[in-house]
Amino acid sequence: MNIVDIITKKRDGGKLSKEEIEFFVNGYTKGEIPDYQASALLMAIYFQKMDKEETFQLTDVMRRSGDTIDLTAITGIKVDKHSTGGVGDKTTLIVAPLVAACGVPIAKMSGRGLGFTGGTVDKMESIPGFKTAMEPEEFLAQVNSIGMAVIGQTGHIAPADKKIYALRDVTGTVENLSLISSSIMSKKLAAGSDAIVLDVKCGDGAFMKTPEDASALGKTMCEIGQAAGKKTVALITDMNQPLGQAVGNSLEVIEAIETLKGQGPADITELSLRLAGTMIYVGGKASSIEEGDAMAKDALESGRGLEKLRQFIEAQGGNPQVLDDYSLFGPAKLSLDIVSDSYGFVQKIKAESIGLASQHTGAGRLRKEDPVDLSAGIYLHKKVGDKVAAGDVLATAYGNDQAKLEIGAAEAMRAFVIGDDAPEKEALVKEVLGL
Ligand code: URA
């Protein structure tokens, strides 16, 4: 077997065997296949696609490329959640405490932000003292004692995906159904939970731009999860504007806290409750999604979710007083308002541009090793459908570097599309798959 034959076979529309997929994945992970040949094969897969059998095999080989986590020491049905990537998506910080407060254990690994999308690990690190790394025994013990723990991804989970994803990121080969679903599901299956709830983003600010493509991705991921014996449910959700109002690490943590206090933006509250309700249902604590939704709402309204967040922050070394005193986050020293120059309705807020704007203020990385400014970001004062007049403040950019702030503010200005008519309201949750 050789890699040139595998590349030409896929280039000409052939179906790869399990052995050929293994040869590629293992050879590339070990460094025996160079980047240029791996890139050629990924581009051939991008154009010729993979069928269901090839996609399942690719997922399985990547899952087996590193460690798999054993969560059997945790009692109960462990439920994981994953979002395909968004802007302003702080739902894990809201959903995990709500679900844990309803008795479903959460043992979760989260990622860092890259490019224009944020990551939960960076957000959690904006809490003074918070640790995102811990020994496996400590991680399991924390879930058994308080019902939840969230840590950074270890380097040993699906290393093949880590290497292939980094190459896809720079070769224009991310947006392919088989490559995305195998990438996400190899990590989720290796992470050891019993059930998985997927938030598949759809729209301008997502990898999948249309509801049809997002639905096909959700369906494939549900099939992969179910074939591995895990209950898997996918919610197809709107990403035609950022979620909530805050984009940037500590700004998003503050918004998550406000949401658990019952004062969050409507969209982030609705999506968090829907995800939490679904997780409570697949975690076996509710007999229907509707009952799960009601339990999540009760955990929010009674303040039990907020108390769980307090316990979680304290257990991972963070200062729980941040819940009552946001100045402890160390706010940004500089801010710049983004002002409307026209009258009308906000038609669109391009999520990707707001993500990039936030990255430029210092909240995101241009390279993996870059430090982030945890206080920087963009705060939206107007959302899609809001009426604006010339002179109104659309958003505020925060940061500690005037030059970066100006670049971020200019990018944020470009994100807003203002027109004469009120736009039609998009449903936040478009479809639920896998039930
Ligand atoms: N997230 C992943 O982990 N992998 C992809 O391919 C896309 C989003």
Side-chain angles (χ1 to χ4, degrees):
M1 199 175 301
N2 76 72
I3 188 67
V4 180
D5 290 345
I6 297 175
I7 296 169
T8 45
K9 184 175 181 185
K10 187 43 88 182
R11 181 200 66 194
D12 297 339
K15 174 171 171 151
L16 302 183
S17 67
K18 182 168 181 276
E19 292 69 32
E20 286 166 331
I21 293 172
E22 256 169 2
F23 182 86
F24 158 61
V25 172
N26 295 337
Y28 183 60
T29 312
K30 284 191 223 140
E32 291 162 6
I33 295 173
D35 281 352
Y36 56 85
Q37 287 179 315
S39 310
L41 180 58
L42 289 168
M43 192 55 87
I45 293 171
Y46 179 89
F47 280 114
Q48 294 291 358
K49 305 190 169 44
M50 281 181 141
D51 71 9
K52 190 164 148 181
E53 200 179 355
E54 290 172 295
T55 308
F56 276 43
Q57 282 160 353
L58 179 60
T59 310
D60 191 50
V61 180
M62 294 206 293
R63 177 184 68 81
R64 288 189 284 105
S65 67
D67 295 346
T68 48
I69 309 279
D70 182 0
L71 297 180
T72 49
I74 300 170
T75 36
I77 303 174
K78 280 78 66 183
V79 185
D80 201 351
K81 154 193 177 284
H82 188 85
S83 146
T84 57
V87 177
D89 187 353
K90 67 284 289 172
T91 50
T92 293
L93 296 168
I94 304 159
V95 168
L98 289 175
V99 173
C102 292
V104 178
I106 302 288
K108 186 163 169 46
M109 281 192 188
S110 286
R112 291 193 183 275
L114 185 66
F116 71 89
T117 61
T120 304
V121 169
D122 294 327
K123 293 173 202 179
M124 294 191 303
E125 283 179 354
S126 72
I127 301 168
F130 197 96
K131 287 188 291 143
T132 55
M134 61 173 95
E135 292 303 320
E137 306 73 46
E138 217 188 326
F139 176 66
L140 299 177
Q142 183 177 314
V143 182
N144 273 330
S145 71
I146 67 158
M148 69 176 285
V150 184
I151 54 170
Q153 189 102 32
T154 79
H156 314 295
I157 298 282
D161 170 64
K162 203 170 176 198
K163 204 166 168 199
I164 294 173
Y165 188 82
L167 187 63
R168 288 169 54 215
D169 204 22
V170 292
T171 54
T173 50
V174 170
E175 295 92 340
N176 170 275
L177 186 145
S178 297
L179 296 177
I180 296 179
S181 49
S182 58
S183 163
I184 292 175
M185 293 308 288
S186 61
K187 289 179 287 225
K188 292 290 110 180
L189 296 180
S193 282
D194 307 304
I196 303 161
V197 172
L198 300 161
D199 179 2
V200 181
K201 304 288 187 199
C202 164
D204 261 7
F207 293 128
M208 295 292 146
K209 309 287 179 210
T210 67
E212 294 72 33
D213 286 349
S215 191
L217 176 65
K219 185 165 173 273
T220 302
M221 291 198 289
C222 286
E223 285 171 354
I224 295 172
Q226 274 146 12
K230 317 254 179 203
K231 188 159 183 61
T232 310
V233 176
L235 276 68
I236 312 297
T237 71
D238 184 60
M239 193 28 78
N240 279 307
Q241 64 173 329
L243 262 175
Q245 292 174 265
V247 181
N249 300 297
S250 62
L251 293 173
E252 293 194 40
V253 178
I254 293 169
E255 187 165 274
I257 298 169
E258 283 291 295
T259 305
L260 285 170
K261 288 179 179 171
Q263 291 152 11
D267 59 351
I268 200 84
T269 304
E270 181 189 339
L271 181 59
S272 300
L273 289 174
R274 294 289 301 270
L275 287 168
T278 309
M279 289 172 78
I280 294 165
Y281 167 63
V282 299
K285 295 285 178 192
S287 55
S288 64
I289 290 207
E290 291 69 33
E291 191 186 336
D293 287 348
M295 288 171 72
K297 195 158 180 266
D298 182 63
L300 185 124
E301 286 171 357
S302 62
R304 286 186 295 124
L306 185 67
E307 274 322 295
K308 188 55 74 184
L309 180 68
R310 193 184 300 275
Q311 279 180 352
F312 162 63
I313 292 176
E314 200 158 16
Q316 294 198 206
N319 181 356
Q321 286 169 357
V322 292
L323 299 191
D324 312 303
D325 179 359
Y326 300 148
S327 71
L328 294 172
F329 283 101
K333 294 195 177 60
L334 303 171
S335 67
L336 196 58
D337 284 342
I338 294 125
V339 177
S340 173
D341 51 14
S342 48
Y343 290 87
F345 290 91
V346 179
Q347 306 275 332
K348 200 182 255 195
I349 305 174
K350 294 180 206 148
E352 184 169 348
S353 300
I354 294 292
L356 282 173
S358 168
Q359 185 187 12
H360 289 315
T361 61
R365 297 179 181 79
L366 296 173
R367 286 168 310 178
K368 269 206 177 75
E369 54 285 359
D370 286 348
V372 291
D373 179 346
L374 295 168
S375 64
I378 304 287
Y379 191 86
L380 304 172
H381 301 287
K382 301 285 180 190
K383 295 270 294 187
V384 169
D386 285 350
K387 208 168 178 181
V388 294
D392 281 356
V393 178
L394 300 172
T396 303
Y398 290 97
N400 292 291
D401 178 319
Q402 186 65 26
K404 286 185 180 176
L405 211 58
E406 282 170 19
I407 299 172
E411 183 71 41
M413 184 74 204
R414 285 192 283 276
F416 280 85
V417 179
I418 296 173
D420 292 339
D421 305 315
E424 267 182 37
K425 201 167 159 37
E426 289 268 352
L428 189 56
V429 178
K430 296 172 186 297
E431 202 181 354
V432 181
L433 301 167
L435 290 174

